[in-house]
Amino acid sequence: EAQVTQNPRYLITVTGKKLTVTCSQNMNHEYMSWYRQDPGLGLRQIYYSMNVEVTDKGDVPEGYKVSRKEKRNFPLILESPSPNQTSLYFCASSLKGDSPTNEKLFFGSGTQLSVL
Amino acid sequence: QQQVKQSPQSLIVQKGGIPIINCAYENTAFDYFPWYQQFPGKGPALLIAIRPDVSEKKEGRFTISFNKSAKQFSLHIMDSQPGDSATYFCAAEDSGYALNFGKGTSLLVTP
């Protein structure tokens, strides 16, 4: 089944404790992206990747890191989480890395993160 | 800065009604306008999309109307059903490959 898989589904942590949210897709997509969803703010892009070893900042990259060492994986790293990073996070992918325009995004099921 | 403005924030209609969700944008470089549907506990999923070279697109009970001169587009759901209750996001894509989402509309269709 074609899908984007995120783990964990729920995560509660404390301020300053490094964490990683994993994302994997099995559709051979070149483009991958991370979004955070907050009430009243919609979906905001954190980082995206056009292909392996190519990553770029989205609208709200502060406090986050990503890496794209393999085509299928795009982990989101919070080196020192803070309470304002409490949010619902979504990973997404699409087919064309050189032109994600015109290609639909496939979203994972989300990771609900709480930073205490 | 929100590049796509979506309204209303929430909407309640009776079964069979036609909810309409509106979006507006300023960036004339946008050339792809999708709508995503999100059910509770799930990620958004593409519902329907339009390009600025057409004024309307229908897929089943869902219709996008697009007004290029006004820089507005809207989603109409014909014969709405309780199963259509979800959050709907409009979006617009620019030449930088970034998909800009609206803030979302929570739709409730009552029986």
Side-chain angles (χ1 to χ4, degrees), chain B residues 35-52:
Chain B
W35 285 88
Y36 280 79
Q37 180 188 53
Q38 183 182 30
F39 292 106
K42 302 290 186 183
L46 180 66
L47 184 63
I48 186 173
I50 197 169
R51 300 195 173 290

Side-chain angles (χ1 to χ4, degrees), chain A residues 58-71:
Chain A
D59 295 322
V60 288
E62 294 77 21
Y64 304 95
K65 284 177 57 178
V66 292
S67 69
R68 189 88 182 276
K69 295 187 173 72
E70 305 166 285
K71 196 172 187 178

Side-chain angles (χ1 to χ4, degrees), chain B residues 22-54:
Chain B
N22 300 299
C23 286
Y25 64 96
E26 287 298 325
N27 188 346
T28 54
F30 289 152
D31 62 357
Y32 176 63
F33 302 89
W35 285 88
Y36 280 79
Q37 180 188 53
Q38 183 182 30
F39 292 106
K42 302 290 186 183
L46 180 66
L47 184 63
I48 186 173
I50 197 169
R51 300 195 173 290
D53 53 345
V54 296

Side-chain angles (χ1 to χ4, degrees), chain A residues 89-110:
Chain A
Y89 291 86
F90 287 101
C91 181
S93 71
S94 68
L95 183 59
K96 292 185 178 178
D98 58 353
S99 177
T101 305
N102 311 338
E103 297 292 341
K104 73 176 184 179
L105 277 175
F106 290 81
F107 282 83
S109 295

